[in-house]
Amino acid sequence: MLNFLWIPATVLASGFQVARNGLQRSLMPQTGPWGATLVRFLFGLPFSILFALVAQALAPAARPHLTPAFWQAAVTGALAQVLATAALLVAMRRAGFAVGTSLQQSSLPLAALIGLAVYHDHLSPLAWGGVAVTTAGLLVLTWPKGATGEQPLSGAAFGLLSGLFFGFSLNAFRHASLAMEPQHPIYSAVASVVVVQAMQALGLLIWLGLRDRKALAAVFRSWRQSLGAGLCGACASAGWFIALALSAAAPVRAVGVVEAPMAAIAGRRFFSERLHPRQIAAGGAVLIGVLLTTLN
């Protein structure tokens, strides 16, 4: 049963991620990209701790193994995810919510390549064909003509940069979870989330405390909205980590592309954004590539 649990976990994570991204984007005028990034980790941490306590109660024999292999993967993933989140928020502001989210899907081919080169995760020829089709669709999206954002071209660049960093973080988090407690993958996933989010929240608190105290104050002034973003972020992170503990990063990222149509609906509903027909066609190519990638 656990072999297939990663699929619903990924779909749920994608939905929560779209909700979290929308809440973070709405905070950006007050907090800036780094303040909005902090919201994800700081306000999500209490919920992640609660999830870990529940997982420990359900698996009392599980014990964390904080080995050098775990710390290396966790620190790499934590830093990459912070950079990816900030880049994504800038991309959504400049190229539009839906386009920025679609460009983030460049983490699929990048995760596949990084997984092969660094962690020796292998995909079938059909899955690699899906990666190629997805990449072609993304190449069309890198010039988001007709987008409603402020600066489409620079937004596309930040979207691709976000995908690169997410590709690193996905693979790193998978191996952090495997190193934490290989006999209890769900416990290992949620416990790893707690460690990673604690590092990310502490690092960003120090950074903003030294560099941008106005943004830090704005985060706490908007605590109600920040708490909602934190809850959605904690649920999304738990889903991603569980999926990555049970499957290689590329198939997980492939199923996660379901967030693209979710983001398109959310962008039109909440941010009055419209997509160009060429972008819709490219998004369709991305989804076809994703379906092929899942057949690994």
Side-chain angles (χ1 to χ4, degrees), residues 15 32 44 68 103 162 168 188 201 255 257 259 273:
L103 287 165
S162 172
F168 273 104
S188 178
V255 174
V257 175
E259 71 183 283
E273 295 178 355

Side-chain angles (χ1 to χ4, degrees), residues 244-271:
L244 290 166
L246 299 173
S247 175
V252 171
R253 183 63 265 178
V255 174
V257 175
V258 70
E259 71 183 283
M262 294 180 186
I265 295 171
R268 183 165 184 174
R269 174 67 178 81
F270 298 107
F271 302 110

Side-chain angles (χ1 to χ4, degrees), residues 48-142:
S48 296
I49 293 173
L50 177 61
F51 297 159
L53 292 174
V54 172
Q56 180 70 78
L58 295 175
R63 294 291 182 271
H65 299 95
L66 304 179
T67 62
F70 167 80
W71 284 114
Q72 180 181 5
V75 171
T76 299
L79 178 59
Q81 190 182 44
V82 167
L83 296 173
T85 301
L88 174 61
L89 291 171
V90 173
M92 289 190 300
R93 184 176 64 187
R94 296 189 178 187
F97 186 79
V99 171
T101 302
S102 296
L103 287 165
Q104 178 202 342
Q105 310 312 321
S106 59
S107 60
L108 168 59
L110 293 168
L113 293 171
I114 294 168
L116 176 64
V118 180
Y119 298 107
H120 309 294
D121 289 332
H122 293 281
L123 301 179
S124 68
L126 187 60
W128 279 112
V131 170
V133 173
T134 303
T135 303
L138 289 166
L139 287 174
V140 176
L141 283 172
T142 55

Side-chain angles (χ1 to χ4, degrees), residues 2-268:
L2 286 178
N3 290 338
F4 299 99
L5 181 61
W6 70 270
I7 297 176
T10 302
V11 174
L12 288 173
S14 299
F16 280 114
Q17 181 160 293
V18 170
R20 184 207 66 216
N21 287 343
L23 290 168
Q24 283 181 291
R25 174 181 166 168
S26 65
L27 286 168
M28 279 188 66
Q30 295 80 38
T31 65
W34 292 113
T37 301
L38 171 63
V39 164
R40 169 182 183 174
F41 306 119
L42 180 63
F43 288 86
L45 185 57
F47 299 106
S48 296
I49 293 173
L50 177 61
F51 297 159
L53 292 174
V54 172
Q56 180 70 78
L58 295 175
R63 294 291 182 271
H65 299 95
L66 304 179
T67 62
F70 167 80
W71 284 114
Q72 180 181 5
V75 171
T76 299
L79 178 59
Q81 190 182 44
V82 167
L83 296 173
T85 301
L88 174 61
L89 291 171
V90 173
M92 289 190 300
R93 184 176 64 187
R94 296 189 178 187
F97 186 79
V99 171
T101 302
S102 296
L103 287 165
Q104 178 202 342
Q105 310 312 321
S106 59
S107 60
L108 168 59
L110 293 168
L113 293 171
I114 294 168
L116 176 64
V118 180
Y119 298 107
H120 309 294
D121 289 332
H122 293 281
L123 301 179
S124 68
L126 187 60
W128 279 112
V131 170
V133 173
T134 303
T135 303
L138 289 166
L139 287 174
V140 176
L141 283 172
T142 55
W143 188 277
K145 181 180 179 180
T148 58
E150 300 168 359
Q151 302 172 53
L153 185 56
S154 63
F158 276 101
L160 293 176
L161 187 63
S162 172
L164 174 62
F165 285 126
F166 272 125
F168 273 104
S169 68
L170 285 168
N171 282 283
F173 288 153
R174 167 170 167 75
H175 288 271
S177 294
L178 293 176
M180 166 73 84
E181 172 52 288
Q183 301 303 316
H184 299 87
I186 294 179
Y187 164 82
S188 178
V190 293
S192 297
V193 171
V194 172
V195 176
V196 168
Q197 285 193 335
M199 289 191 294
Q200 291 167 322
L202 179 60
L204 282 169
L205 278 171
I206 294 173
W207 172 263
L208 288 174
L210 295 174
R211 301 294 299 271
D212 195 347
R213 293 184 181 179
K214 290 183 179 179
L216 187 58
V219 167
F220 289 104
R221 281 198 304 271
S222 306
W223 66 270
R224 289 184 180 85
Q225 194 172 353
S226 297
L227 198 62
L231 174 59
C232 291
C235 292
S237 294
W240 287 122
F241 271 70
I242 290 170
L244 290 166
L246 299 173
S247 175
V252 171
R253 183 63 265 178
V255 174
V257 175
V258 70
E259 71 183 283
M262 294 180 186
I265 295 171
R268 183 165 184 174

